[in-house]
Amino acid sequence: MVRFENVGLRYGMGTEVLRDISFAIEPQSFQFLTGPSGAGKTTLLRLILMSLRPTRGFISLFGQDVSQLGKDEISAIRRRVGVVFQDFRLLDHLTTYENVALPLFVQGQEDRTYRPQVVELLRWVGLGDHIHAYPPVLSGGEKQRAAIARALIVQPELLLADEPTGNVDPTLARRLLRLFMELNKSGTSVIIATHDLALMDQFDSAKRFVLGEGRLHIYD
Ligand code: ADP
Ligand code: ADP
């Protein structure tokens, strides 16, 4: 569902952050994307999301050549991808409920059609008591879970998460990881960028993509 062929990326006139990257992500697969800070994990996720264009090489998403897509097609493809950003990107003037429901609201769906689903998901991520709270009063871990719920509400075919356990204690990190595993079992491909080696060691069935010096190494 994602294919990179000899992809390179440089920012401006700088050196190449990513060099000659090739890989394929199969449907219903689970992979960690790791490497030291600054290795290019966020950059790679942004390429998949089409918020950056490669300076070299070929990328396809759901079988479509990304370089050939128009604005509407990009929007349509993005709706099939759930994203958990490192900085959450919650809207402070909306409640937790409204933030999570937002992707459905902007699609023009009516509140009564999705309310039970949103409430159930919020309970599932452990935010049942914070449904009407605004992000500024949530803890880092609660914001993280709200951001995860918002990514999952659209039932994405592909989930990208950038350091999704960066703000939570090890117990909650394991719970969140199990949640991603469950999602994966129900059919979603998952890519998790993290530098938390201890966490990955507890899930050694997952594939690992390791970035270093602009190159990608793949371990099954
Ligand atoms: P990681 O997520 O692994 O920490 P990033 O993808 O954020 O790595 O960054 C990789 C490299 O690219 C870093 O050296 C970073 O400073 C640089 N970089 C990231 N975004 C930009 C940008 N918008 N403009 C210039 N350099 C950038
Ligand atoms: P998007 O296009 O996906 O909305 P943004 O342009 O907001 O993404 O930024 C993507 C990421 O790149 C952010 O996490 C931001 O902090 C990081 N970034 C932007 N510029 C730099 C830079 N010069 N060095 C390192 N990271 C950067």
Side-chain angles (χ1 to χ4, degrees), residues 43-216:
T43 300
L44 183 60
L45 295 181
R46 292 182 66 203
L47 283 168
I48 297 174
L49 255 189
M50 301 176 286
S51 80
L52 272 180
R53 298 238 171 217
T55 37
R56 286 196 297 128
F58 170 86
I59 300 178
S60 78
L61 204 52
F62 301 116
Q64 287 176 280
D65 175 353
V66 162
S67 70
Q68 301 300 314
L69 298 177
K71 245 191 157 120
D72 291 348
E73 290 164 310
I74 288 178
S75 304
I77 286 189
R78 282 205 181 122
R79 281 198 284 276
R80 301 165 69 179
V81 183
V83 190
V84 184
F85 294 98
Q86 211 167 356
D87 55 2
F88 316 129
R89 305 204 188 173
L90 299 169
L91 298 177
D92 286 348
H93 63 286
L94 300 180
T95 64
T96 305
Y97 174 87
E98 290 163 341
N99 266 286
V100 172
L102 193 62
L104 303 177
F105 178 80
V106 300
Q107 284 173 19
Q109 296 191 36
E110 288 195 45
D111 185 79
R112 62 187 160 77
T113 63
Y114 56 67
R115 175 164 283 272
Q117 196 187 331
V118 173
V119 170
E120 191 198 326
L121 181 58
L122 281 167
R123 292 204 180 114
W124 194 57
V125 298
L127 288 176
D129 293 337
H130 301 284
I131 286 176
H132 303 297
Y134 290 85
V137 306
L138 298 178
S139 72
E142 288 162 352
K143 284 184 208 164
Q144 193 126 51
R145 283 177 279 154
I148 291 170
R150 187 189 48 197
L152 300 188
I153 194 66
V154 295
Q155 298 176 300
E157 291 163 66
L158 174 66
L159 181 80
L160 309 177
D162 199 353
E163 298 287 355
T165 58
N167 292 275
V168 299
D169 61 57
T171 309
L172 183 54
R174 267 197 305 279
R175 254 191 68 209
L176 290 177
L177 248 289
R178 278 201 288 270
L179 198 144
F180 289 131
M181 290 278 181
E182 267 182 60
L183 183 76
N184 175 242
K185 285 205 187 83
S186 71
T188 300
S189 284
V190 178
I191 306 177
I192 297 180
T194 182
H195 56 242
D196 188 344
L197 297 172
L199 182 70
M200 281 186 293
D201 284 343
Q202 298 170 24
F203 292 89
D204 55 11
S205 59
K207 206 180 224 188
R208 290 187 195 189
F209 286 3
V210 182
L211 277 172
E213 292 171 356
R215 307 275 179 180
L216 184 71

